[in-house]
Structures are given as structure tokens and as C-alpha cells.
């Protein structure tokens, strides 16, 4: 896999990838040092390593334990078997 620190560099071409045979569900939390208005979230999936479902949530608070998350929705991705 590739560590989540790959997401800190916008010029990185590797991105994040879980380890082989991970426990599910996988969680990826993006934490910022100040408040931002998020207008768009782009998710790029590898052509052969496709997750089946992505739950998107947002929250604010001081630290993960003190943050209340609100679910924004769920995306399902095609397995790419037809192509």
C-alpha cells in the first residue's frame, strides 16, 4: 500500500492505497489546521483496485474524539468487470 501521507503532496502520483488484505471498513480522515469551505471532493479509483462503496462525512471539532461527523452521502462504484 501507499501511506496516507502521499495525499499531503498534491504533486504525488501515487495517492493513498490500503495495505494488502486489510480489515474493513477502511477509514481515511482528512484533518485541516483551520476551517475550510469544501466545494468539491474528487475521488479517483484505480482501474483494477476498486472499492465497492464510499461513505462521505464532514465534521468540525478539536481532535477526532471531539468531532461530531455528519454523513453527506454514499457513493457506489462499478467493479469494472463489464469493460
Amino acid at each position: 500500500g501507499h501511506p496516507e501521507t502521499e495525499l499531503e503532496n498534491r504533486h504525488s502520483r501515487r495517492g493513498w492505497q490500503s495495505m494488502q488484505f486489510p480489515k474493513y471498513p477502511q477509514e481515511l480522515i482528512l484533518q485541516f489546521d483551520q476551517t475550510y469551505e469544501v466545494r468539491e471532493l474528487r475521488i479517483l479509483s484505480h482501474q483494477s483496485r476498486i472499492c465497492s462503496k464510499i461513505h462521505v462525512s464532514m465534521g468540525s471539532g478539536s481532535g477526532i474524539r471531539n468531532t461530531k461527523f455528519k454523513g453527506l452521502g454514499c457513493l457506489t462504484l462499478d467493479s469494472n468487470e463489464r469493460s
Side-chain angles (χ1 to χ4, degrees):
H2 305 305
E4 65 278 357
T5 53
E6 288 291 321
L7 296 173
E8 294 175 6
N9 179 357
R10 74 161 116 176
H11 301 294
S12 172
R13 295 182 179 255
R14 294 186 344 160
W16 171 75
Q17 179 181 322
S18 64
M19 297 181 298
Q20 191 174 11
F21 308 115
K23 291 184 179 182
Y24 290 100
Q26 293 283 293
E27 289 187 356
L28 179 64
I29 298 174
L30 305 177
Q31 184 175 1
F32 301 102
D33 58 354
Q34 61 187 38
T35 301
Y36 289 95
E37 179 181 342
V38 178
R39 295 180 183 199
E40 181 178 62
L41 177 64
R42 292 183 185 187
I43 298 171
L44 176 64
S45 181
H46 189 277
Q47 62 200 26
S48 63
R49 297 180 183 122
I50 303 170
C51 65
S52 57
K53 191 179 283 188
I54 300 171
H55 295 271
V56 179
S57 301
M58 289 185 73
S60 62
S62 57
I64 299 301
R65 295 189 189 276
N66 297 323
T67 298
K68 293 186 179 182
F69 290 95
K70 177 182 178 183
L72 299 178
C74 183
L75 300 128
T76 54
L77 298 163
D78 189 23
S79 66
N80 207 14
E81 292 174 351
R82 294 179 287 186
S83 29

